[in-house]
Amino acid sequence: MLTDGRQPDEHAIEKQQSLVSAVAEVFRIALPLMVSTGTFALVLFADRTLLLWHDGSSMSASMAGGNLFWVIVCLPVGIASMTGAFVSQYIGAGEESKIGRFLWQSVWMSLLASPLFLAVAVYAENLFRATGQPEELVPLEAVYLRLLMIGAVGIVLETALSGFFSGTQRTQVIMWVSLASGLINFVLDLVLIFGWGPIPSLGIAGAAIASVISFWFKSVCYGWLLLRPEHEQRYQIRGGFAFDASLLRNLLFFGLPTGLMFVTEAGGFAGIVLRIGRLGDLPLRATTMAINFNMIAFIPLVGVSIAASVLVGRHLIESGPRPATRSALAALAIGWLYSGAWVVVYLMAPHWLMSLYEMGELAGESKDAIELARGLLPFIALYVVLDATQLILAGALRGAGDTWFVLGSGFMASVTALTIGICFEPTSGALNWWWWMVTLWIWLIALAMAARFWQGGWQQMRMV
């Protein structure tokens, strides 16, 4: 018997309507972010494919160099990525005037990372030699990494500043800036990799320069938009220009575990890629080809993860755990639908996917790499849905402030997969072995995030 006099089916209908409205709300915020992150994925795909057509070794070097670049920048990027969750909670608490002062702390944090980036640029070649990379790839990897480090502060800044637009649910701004940046990057790739008119062919160096320009373009766009007068009265963007130790400490307390989580995930994956690199150029090139298609499935879901983080953070403050839980589940449903479609593509159309690489002129080794890469796509099909699960649930947990658990579980999964991989690496079939380790790693993280979300302790957490 229902205490409010309604029939059971009325409760079921109300619950269904609530979930449908939650899906609509998540989709409205996530779609522009999916377009934004999807543009980034397509640019990376085009970048590496153009390098394959220019020189197969450059494609391999861009994979190793790009992964190490991400390992270096992901600590400050991870801290800066919490900006959106903080902004959403300030809005939920009715304290919008504090947002400008908080944003400036993320800017100071971004600038403080500069000495680290400079040191990496100086010692880039030594870093690759220390990991036992093929000698012919080391100069290419070092050039790529050194040039990317020029854009390192830019990528941290644009992550911090874009948090204002995701936190205030102005995600269309992020979409349009990302589309413009992606177009600039692609055009510059064509011109700088292959040369045009008086501009010589720069190969892998040209690809890095194009990326650096696109990083700084986004930072400048977001900075210009934030400093416009219409934001001043409500958010105090210009008036908040100051150093605030208490706000910076708060950002670091919740952001540091997120950044360290990014480091453990990126470091674990980079460690596996560098182990594959020790097997030679051909296995590394095949891995790069397969990961390219993995990125197209994975990176757009970062937008769904951001939407889950923002909505969970806001609803926890504004209306309580139940709407926050619905938002997380709605985001998860969108992620499963998108990644499930990619499972079908990986299993049913591997030859069509790999034929995209054959549109340009290829050397014999690159054709061999395509055949090898085709056999790696079933591994991605095994873990892509669980990869979506861990990404979205981790975003929801971070939105609530449960960042230390996300860090600890990610760290343990990375250590476990790498330890098993190194200790039991076979003398033959090592490429497939390391892809099994990637699969194991993602499954472990997904199980940990699902267990934590189900346990529900995150529902009592607050950041502001």
Side-chain angles (χ1 to χ4, degrees):
M1 183 71 180
L2 297 174
T3 58
D4 59 2
R6 289 182 295 173
Q7 297 299 316
D9 59 338
E10 292 183 73
H11 280 276
I13 292 170
E14 182 181 304
K15 187 175 180 180
Q16 185 178 21
Q17 289 174 338
S18 297
L19 185 58
V20 169
S21 64
V23 170
E25 182 184 39
V26 171
F27 192 72
R28 176 177 58 82
I29 297 170
L31 182 59
L33 293 172
M34 291 181 74
V35 173
S36 170
T37 53
T39 300
F40 180 64
L42 289 174
V43 167
L44 276 179
F45 182 90
D47 188 69
R48 291 172 179 173
T49 303
L50 292 172
L51 286 174
L52 172 67
W53 295 345
H54 178 267
D55 173 20
S57 295
S58 293
M59 184 190 199
S60 303
S62 72
M63 181 68 171
N67 276 333
L68 189 53
F69 169 74
W70 178 242
V71 172
I72 301 302
V73 303
C74 67
L75 176 59
V77 164
I79 296 172
S81 72
M82 287 299 294
T83 303
F86 270 100
V87 168
S88 69
Q89 290 209 3
Y90 277 124
I91 291 174
E95 298 178 336
E96 297 175 350
S97 61
K98 295 182 179 180
I99 289 175
R101 178 66 63 91
F102 177 79
L103 278 176
W104 279 108
Q105 309 320 303
S106 64
V107 171
W108 307 139
M109 184 277 302
S110 303
L111 297 176
L112 287 172
S114 301
L116 168 66
F117 301 149
L118 178 61
V120 171
V122 171
Y123 294 104
E125 199 161 312
N126 294 336
L127 290 173
F128 289 111
R129 286 207 167 89
T131 59
Q133 296 302 289
E135 188 59 35
E136 67 272 16
L137 293 182
V138 169
L140 294 172
E141 293 167 339
V143 165
Y144 192 63
L145 180 60
R146 280 177 179 146
L147 288 171
L148 284 179
M149 296 316 299
I150 299 172
V153 172
I155 197 172
V156 181
L157 272 175
E158 64 101 348
T159 303
L161 300 181
S162 68
F164 169 82
F165 298 100
S166 61
T168 57
Q169 300 184 13
R170 294 175 169 91
T171 52
Q172 287 194 357
V173 173
I174 299 174
M175 178 183 72
W176 289 115
V177 171
S178 297
L179 286 171
S181 172
L183 180 61
I184 290 170
N185 198 341
F186 180 69
V187 171
L188 289 175
D189 271 341
L190 288 172
V191 172
L192 298 177
I193 291 174
F194 298 103
W196 182 71
I199 301 173
S201 171
L202 298 176
I204 195 169
I209 293 168
S211 297
V212 168
I213 292 172
S214 70
F215 295 156
W216 281 108
F217 172 82
K218 292 172 80 171
S219 295
V220 171
C221 283
Y222 289 136
W224 175 73
L225 290 169
L226 278 167
L227 292 173
R228 295 174 70 180
E230 57 261 34
H231 295 311
E232 186 58 27
Q233 182 176 356
R234 187 174 180 183
Y235 302 110
Q236 297 291 300
I237 303 296
R238 298 182 185 182
F241 178 82
F243 178 81
D244 190 313
S246 63
L247 286 180
L248 183 58
R249 279 196 302 270
N250 208 27
L251 172 63
L252 292 175
F253 179 80
F254 289 102
L256 189 60
T258 300
L260 290 173
M261 172 61 177
F262 283 13
V263 171
T264 59
E265 287 193 349
F269 185 71
I272 291 173
V273 168
L274 290 173
R275 294 293 297 190
I276 292 173
R278 290 163 65 96
L279 304 176
D281 184 13
L282 189 62
L284 182 57
R285 199 177 307 180
T287 295
T288 306
M289 291 175 176
I291 291 296
N292 254 6
F293 288 109
N294 189 179
M295 287 189 314
I296 295 175
F298 177 80
I299 293 181
L301 290 174
V302 173
V304 184
S305 179
I306 294 170
S309 179
V310 167
L311 288 172
V312 165
R314 181 167 182 171
H315 285 316
L316 274 179
I317 297 291
E318 202 170 58
S319 46
R322 187 171 294 179
T325 302
R326 278 199 297 266
S327 292
L329 292 176
L332 201 56
I334 293 170
W336 282 347
L337 184 64
Y338 179 80
S339 57
W342 275 102
V343 171
V344 176
V345 175
Y346 292 139
L347 294 178
M348 302 298 293
H351 288 80
W352 177 79
L353 290 176
M354 289 300 161
S355 69
L356 296 176
Y357 289 124
E358 297 173 335
M359 295 172 66
E361 293 186 14
L362 299 176
E365 281 191 355
S366 291
K367 293 180 180 178
D368 294 338
I370 288 174
E371 290 301 315
L372 199 56
R374 189 176 289 121
L376 300 178
L377 292 181
F379 285 102
I380 304 176
L382 275 175
Y383 66 68
V384 67
V385 174
L386 284 176
D387 211 6
T389 302
Q390 68 86 14
L391 177 66
I392 291 166
L393 291 183
L397 293 173
R398 283 196 294 267
D402 199 6
T403 54
W404 289 99
F405 174 83
V406 175
L407 166 62
S409 57
F411 177 76
M412 291 305 299
S414 298
V415 169
T416 301
L418 273 173
T419 301
I420 294 173
I422 293 171
C423 291
F424 299 100
E425 183 178 8
T427 54
S428 62
L431 177 60
N432 281 353
W433 169 256
W434 282 109
W435 273 84
W436 279 115
M437 291 304 100
V438 171
T439 305
L440 171 65
W441 171 51
I442 292 170
W443 276 60
L444 289 174
I445 299 175
L447 288 173
M449 298 303 167
R452 182 66 166 187
F453 182 80
W454 183 264
Q455 181 267 336
W458 58 273
Q459 296 177 350
Q460 311 306 318
M461 296 181 176
R462 303 292 186 272
M463 293 189 295
V464 299

